[in-house]
Amino acid sequence: MASRKRGAHRDNGLGDGTGSRSPERSDGRHIAALVLARGGSKGIPLKNIKMLAGVPLLGWVLRAAVDSQMFDSVWVSTDHDEIEKVAKSWGAKVHRRSAQVSEDVTSSVKTIQEFLSKNKDVDIVCHIQATSPCLHPSHLQGALKKILEDGYDSVFSVVRRHQFRWKEVKKDSGESTEPFNIDPLKRPRRQDWDGELYENGSFYISSRDFITKTGSLQGGKVAYYEMEPEHSVDIDVDIDWPVAEQRILRYGYFGRGVSLMFLKVSGCLTDGKVLLSGFGEDSVSVHTRDTTGIRMLQKDDVEVVLLVSGDDPVLSSMTEKLKNLTGCEVMTVGEEPLSDVQAVVEKKKLDWKDVAYMG
């Protein structure tokens, strides 16, 4: 069973590729998130579905897009069967791009134009790079606000860098290089210099009308959205992979959290001891920190189901007391609890990535 960082879970339409629209937005425009994931990556073969910190690379950005609650639909444009399977497993709809826009030299704009021609209801498209796994929902929310509320035609992501740039000269030319953005005689301290803004390629947002008229994702009344340096991660070659993995473990977005947790009572709430009294009554001890933890999960809208082994006569006789103590449903399970809880997961119409287990 897969578990994610603890947090409140809300129904966001993940199962059908449709994101929940923000309650503040009611202008009727259809906003789509679109991830381009071609199967012919040269630097890292099939990198879009390679596992990164336990999640397919594609999954990191799809999770952020859905949880932003800003999109009416979330899509992956691909030409590869395995990428399609992964995309659907993470809740995205799939646009099967044509061979004409699946070549090495095909531009992103051409692929997006084909997508728009097949999806006439889309008014605004947010092109998200699959190779930017540290993307957070808040980045997309802030950028889309510039389109929806501030009236910009296009928005793209940038990162601030404090790097001094110099003119490149040809080898053995004898030419003298020149500075681009500093005066060498007056080199500023980092804290005294604002730095410069660079595109980080994380996302580009434009309206259908602007893309159709100009054949570009940037222009018109254009704005940038500045992302933090720690969230600006791009993966092109193998050497980027371990660096990105460490960065995402520290700064990545791990989702809203699970919505259902199965907790085995023996060994989790108890220390495994059975206390025998002189009156012939058996008892167990439950740690108050465990019940406090359960209440914290419940406060975050995580449903907790306690599991009691049918072979444990003491705990089996205490199901009502456990229920009253924790406010949780108590299930009796056999030697293989997975088969017993499967029916609960199906009844609640959950995916396993929304479920945690502790035993």
Side-chain angles (χ1 to χ4, degrees):
M1 299 179 188
S3 64
R4 294 178 282 171
K5 283 188 176 180
R6 181 177 59 81
H9 172 90
R10 298 173 181 84
D11 182 7
N12 50 25
L14 188 61
D16 62 1
T18 304
S20 280
R21 176 178 290 190
S22 171
E24 291 81 14
R25 185 164 69 84
S26 58
D27 58 14
R29 287 184 289 180
H30 185 115
I31 303 179
L34 177 64
V35 182
L36 307 184
R38 191 170 62 92
S41 173
K42 301 299 183 186
I44 306 176
L46 287 179
K47 68 179 177 182
N48 292 308
I49 55 175
K50 183 177 178 180
M51 298 300 285
L52 177 68
V55 173
L57 180 61
L58 193 59
W60 289 105
V61 295
L62 290 177
R63 175 189 288 166
V66 171
D67 282 2
S68 73
Q69 295 187 308
M70 295 300 293
F71 299 105
D72 299 289
S73 59
V74 177
W75 293 80
V76 170
S77 170
T78 189
D79 60 342
H80 197 278
D81 292 341
E82 288 302 313
I83 294 177
E84 177 175 353
K85 290 178 183 178
V86 172
K88 288 181 176 179
S89 73
W90 280 87
K93 295 183 177 181
V94 172
H95 165 68
R96 288 296 297 219
R97 62 169 73 179
S98 67
Q100 288 74 22
V101 295
S102 299
E103 301 176 354
D104 291 342
V105 296
T106 303
S107 68
S108 297
V109 174
K110 289 291 185 183
T111 310
I112 293 170
Q113 286 175 324
E114 182 190 74
F115 167 79
L116 290 173
S117 70
K118 301 294 184 180
N119 295 275
K120 304 292 187 181
D121 58 329
V122 174
D123 300 298
I124 298 172
V125 62
C126 177
H127 165 38
I128 301 174
Q129 299 271 30
T131 52
S132 300
C134 276
L135 181 68
H136 281 235
S138 59
H139 300 145
L140 299 170
Q141 291 164 350
L144 278 163
K145 178 180 178 294
K146 294 178 179 292
I147 295 277
L148 299 173
E149 299 180 19
D150 301 335
Y152 286 94
D153 298 311
S154 58
V155 179
F156 61 96
S157 58
V158 300
V159 63
R160 189 176 299 273
R161 293 178 180 169
H162 294 77
Q163 296 175 324
F164 298 134
R165 297 185 295 120
W166 292 77
K167 176 185 175 182
E168 182 180 0
V169 296
K170 294 181 179 181
K171 186 178 180 180
D172 300 326
S173 67
E175 295 180 19
S176 176
T177 187
E178 297 177 359
F180 273 139
N181 62 350
I182 62 163
D183 179 350
L185 300 179
K186 299 178 181 179
R187 291 174 67 94
R189 299 184 304 166
R190 180 184 177 90
Q191 58 266 38
D192 297 330
W193 182 42
D194 289 337
E196 296 180 328
L197 298 177
Y198 289 75
E199 285 187 36
N200 67 356
S202 192
F203 59 80
Y204 300 83
I205 309 174
S206 301
S207 67
R208 166 190 287 274
D209 291 341
F210 182 80
I211 296 172
T212 301
K213 291 177 182 177
T214 66
S216 174
L217 299 176
Q218 296 165 291
K221 185 181 179 182
V222 61
Y224 62 80
Y225 179 85
E226 184 176 345
M227 291 175 61
E228 305 87 344
E230 58 267 27
H231 293 142
S232 294
V233 178
D234 192 23
I235 302 175
D236 285 322
V237 293
D238 277 323
I239 196 171
D240 297 331
W241 208 266
V243 176
E245 192 154 48
Q246 290 304 310
R247 184 80 68 86
I248 203 168
L249 288 173
R250 185 168 183 179
Y251 299 112
Y253 173 69
F254 286 81
R256 294 172 178 268
V258 300
S259 58
L260 176 63
M261 182 172 186
F262 293 105
L263 184 66
K264 195 172 182 180
V265 175
S266 179
C268 292
L269 269 69
T270 75
D271 56 8
K273 296 178 181 178
V274 177
L275 306 179
L276 303 178
S277 72
F279 300 99
E281 294 181 353
D282 299 337
S283 62
V284 296
S285 61
V286 175
H287 205 295
T288 56
R289 289 183 180 178
D290 296 325
T291 56
T292 299
I294 289 175
R295 284 192 289 272
M296 291 173 64
L297 289 169
Q298 292 169 331
K299 187 177 180 180
D300 278 347
D301 296 329
V302 178
E303 181 182 358
V304 179
V305 177
L306 302 181
L307 303 181
V308 175
S309 173
D311 296 329
D312 189 330
V314 178
L315 287 176
S316 295
S317 66
M318 296 181 178
T319 55
E320 283 301 317
K321 290 183 179 179
L322 289 170
K323 183 176 181 180
N324 293 334
L325 177 66
T326 62
C328 300
E329 178 186 349
V330 181
M331 279 185 62
T332 301
V333 296
E335 293 183 359
E336 298 294 334
L338 179 61
S339 59
D340 295 306
V341 302
Q342 175 82 39
V344 178
V345 175
E346 293 177 352
K347 182 178 180 181
K348 295 181 181 295
K349 298 181 179 180
L350 296 175
D351 292 323
W352 282 111
K353 63 177 178 290
D354 301 317
V355 181
Y357 171 81
M358 184 178 291

